[in-house]
Amino acid sequence: MKKMGRLEAVLWNIAFPGFSQLLSGQYIKGVLFVFLEFLINSKSQFNLAIMYSFIGEMERAYSVLNFQWIMFYPCVYMFAIWDAYRFAMPEDEKLSFLPFVFSAYFVTVGIMYSTKMTIFKMNLGPIFLPILFLLPGLICGFLMKYLLLYKSKK
């Protein structure tokens, strides 16, 4: 089976966790990630919360979202993406997990603060605020990777 590139692997898993694993022949992992996606998504009412958030009904999004379940989502989601990336990356690449790990941390914190935090007096809700927290997570992860690799070269 043809090995896919890093970008292709990441984009398929962003679309749906487990797709890259299935496409690359890693069927057990792929089915596990798809199962976890369905389980967490259905138990947390994530799709309904996304729908309400996109139509601007943040209070309804909060009311349907099960925070006990959605807290699992960022780690599973980012791990599935990283796993696909890892399978496609060059063997000599180091510390590639850091941007993914920090993103999972920051998005989880974004979920926790979504009920309390506003930006420019706007409540961005339980979907859009965690998405915004992805950016500092990626920045911190890439910065940490750069600093650790830079230190190891000295």
Side-chain angles (χ1 to χ4, degrees), residues 4 6 14 51 53-54 61 64 84 86 88 99 107 118-123 133 139 142 149:
M4 67 180 75
R6 291 177 289 185
I14 287 172
M51 184 187 76
S53 294
F54 269 83
V64 298
R86 181 182 63 140
V107 172
T118 59
I119 297 178
F120 302 117
K121 297 182 182 179
M122 285 179 34
N123 179 349
F133 272 59
I139 291 167
F142 280 116
L149 289 175

Side-chain angles (χ1 to χ4, degrees), residues 2-5 32 40 45 50 59 74 92 99 111 125 136 146:
K2 179 184 157 283
K3 189 173 178 182
M4 67 180 75
L32 177 65
I40 296 169
Q45 297 288 321
I50 291 171
E59 290 309 314
D92 61 339
I111 290 169
Y146 171 78

Side-chain angles (χ1 to χ4, degrees), residues 23-58:
L23 288 171
S24 63
Q26 301 173 322
Y27 299 116
I28 294 172
K29 277 199 287 187
V31 168
L32 177 65
F33 287 136
V34 169
F35 171 76
L36 288 172
E37 168 72 18
F38 274 109
L39 178 68
I40 296 169
N41 199 308
S42 63
K43 292 288 189 179
S44 68
Q45 297 288 321
F46 191 36
N47 283 348
L48 200 51
I50 291 171
M51 184 187 76
Y52 287 137
S53 294
F54 269 83
I55 62 175
E57 296 182 17
M58 298 310 171

Side-chain angles (χ1 to χ4, degrees), residues 3 13-14 25 42 59 69-70 89 96 104 114 124 127 130 153:
K3 189 173 178 182
N13 264 21
I14 287 172
S42 63
E59 290 309 314
W69 277 96
I70 199 62
M89 75 181 194
S96 65
S114 69
L124 297 179
I127 305 303
K153 287 182 182 178

Side-chain angles (χ1 to χ4, degrees), residues 71-104:
M71 296 291 287
F72 289 110
Y73 195 76
C75 291
V76 170
Y77 190 75
M78 294 310 295
F79 181 77
I81 295 170
W82 171 75
D83 181 72
Y85 181 88
R86 181 182 63 140
F87 185 74
M89 75 181 194
E91 287 186 29
D92 61 339
E93 187 173 332
K94 294 181 178 19
L95 304 176
S96 65
F97 63 92
L98 287 170
F100 299 98
V101 168
F102 276 89
S103 294

